[in-house]
């Protein structure tokens, strides 16, 4: 690892995890104290320690081999995911157990104050508290494993219909399929991933767009999947833009020339996929003699790379044209698009992944990413200027998704009548 600071952080977190293990071990001793079989008691107690300490060791060894010259590979994502699963599970167990122990502490203080000598000052830990702790811990444990083995490939189709007064008549009913954030360097199950591609193909939309982050870092990551994603075709073409990860900024290169060559190779891969890569430029989509403008910018994001040039991308676009913008980061819409003097009817973004974790039920949507992004999943509207944020096709860092599932978006444009 090139940055020893990261390893120190991992070491501190691992030490905290070991301290949690010590406390959990005491709770498991209470749970198994009255078991008839000493063998099973030891299996539970020392089996837990063996597995938990083993995961910590794997975590340290895995990230000890991590190098910023290559970036996070699927192996590192799995190691991190296993560690997070056990760490969060431990926290749930410890919270419940500590609440029980806090109650014992206050009972002890009451006994001391009342000088009640008929019983121990601090009562023993009750078994049912440990049982509740186990049940509480089972919720994140099973959920996280579902997220890693099933959730990250549990593709969902999101359909949205948008109405516009000035949509050209020929485009009434025009459909767009959007994918975003493929992050091809993270895939670990090609056949499961193919189900998402098949779902996108099955929509048979008029237009296909991809809104950035084809790879995690290196252009080579998409190479095993070019034939698969190249299957997605649309009658009016396939178009794409770059995301923040596509520039290779998050790994170390031997030279700036090597980094530049990687980006150039990635651009060629877009061509091999059959995608027209829009680099601060626009194209005209024509249907039955009528036209709309499709605009694509390079990445521009608050707190991220800001190379996209919207003014350059708009050059040559008629003022009264119906405009669709592809821009990877939704903060670009927040800061430069929604109040722009030029009316851009619809912006399609991605980037946030919805944090790959959250809750989405009718009438309620929450994810921790909401504290970073104003618009982080789905549709936003500012005086009939729309933004749609795709939740992402792939995953990064945490090798899973829970509650915020991978997305294929289909948007239908309709003429207001």
């Amino acid at each position: 690892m090139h940055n020893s600071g990261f390893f120190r952080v991992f070491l501190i977190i691992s030490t905290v995890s070991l301290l949690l293990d010590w406390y959990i071990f005491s709770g498991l001793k209470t749970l198994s104290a009255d078991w008839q079989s000493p063998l099973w008691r030891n299996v539970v107690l020392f089996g837990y320690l063996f597995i938990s300490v083993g995961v910590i060791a794997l975590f340290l060894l895995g990230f000890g081999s991590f190098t910023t010259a290559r970036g996070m590979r699927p192996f590192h994502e799995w190691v991190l995911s296993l560690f997070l699963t056990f760490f969060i599970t431990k926290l749930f167990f410890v919270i419940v157990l500590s609440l029980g122990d806090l109650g014992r502490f206050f009972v002890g203080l009451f006994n001391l104050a009342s000088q009640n000598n008929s019983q121990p000052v601090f009562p023993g830990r009750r078994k049912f508290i440990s049982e509740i702790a186990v049940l509480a811990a089972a919720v994140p444990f099973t959920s996280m494993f579902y997220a890693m083995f099933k959730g990250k490939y549990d593709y969902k189709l999101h359909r949205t219909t948008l109405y516009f007064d000035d949509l050209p008549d020929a485009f009434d009913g025009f459909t767009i399929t959007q994918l975003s954030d493929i992050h091809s360097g993270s895939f670990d199950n090609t056949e499961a991933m193919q189900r998402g591609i098949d779902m996108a193909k099955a929509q048979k939309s008029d237009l296909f767009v991809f809104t950035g982050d084809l790879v995690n870092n290196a252009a080579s990551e998409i190479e095993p999947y070019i034939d698969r994603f190249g299957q997605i075709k649309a009658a009016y073409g396939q178009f794409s833009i770059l995301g923040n990860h596509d520039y290779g900024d998050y790994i170390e290169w031997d030279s700036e020339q090597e980094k530049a060559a990687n980006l150039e190779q990635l651009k060629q891969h877009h061509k091999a996929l059959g995608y027209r890569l829009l680099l601060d430029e626009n194209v005209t989509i024509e249907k039955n003699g009528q036209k709309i403008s499709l605009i694509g910018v390079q990445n521009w994001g608050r707190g991220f790379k800001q190379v996209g040039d919207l003014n350059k991308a708009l050059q040559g676009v008629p003022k009264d044209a119906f405009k669709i913008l592809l821009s990877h980061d939704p903060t670009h819409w927040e800061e430069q698009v929604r109040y722009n003097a030029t009316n851009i009817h619809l912006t399609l973004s991605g980037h946030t992944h919805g944090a790959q974790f959250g809750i989405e039920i009718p009438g309620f949507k929450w994810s921790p990413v909401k504290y970073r992004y104003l618009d982080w999943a789905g549709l936003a509207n500012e005086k009939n200027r729309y933004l749609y944020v795709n939740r992402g096709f792939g995953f990064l860092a945490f090798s899973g998704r829970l509650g915020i599932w991978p997305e294929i978006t289909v948007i239908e444009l309709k003429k207001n009548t």
Side-chain angles (χ1 to χ4, degrees), residues 246-281:
D246 294 322
Y247 296 89
D249 287 343
Y250 305 120
I251 60 175
E252 295 180 1
W253 301 92
D254 291 336
S255 66
E256 284 300 315
Q257 291 79 11
E258 183 186 25
K259 182 180 178 182
N262 177 74
L263 181 57
E264 184 58 36
Q265 183 183 27
L266 185 66
K267 293 176 181 179
Q268 294 303 312
H269 289 337
H270 278 257
K271 186 176 181 180
L273 285 161
Y275 301 171
R276 164 73 187 277
L277 181 62
L278 299 177
L279 301 168
D280 299 331
E281 56 189 314

Side-chain angles (χ1 to χ4, degrees), residues 115-139:
Q115 295 183 340
N116 184 353
N117 299 320
S118 61
Q119 55 186 347
V121 174
F122 292 97
R125 182 183 287 150
R126 294 185 178 182
K127 179 181 178 180
F128 83 90
I129 297 295
S130 294
E131 291 173 336
I132 294 173
V134 169
L135 291 174
V139 174

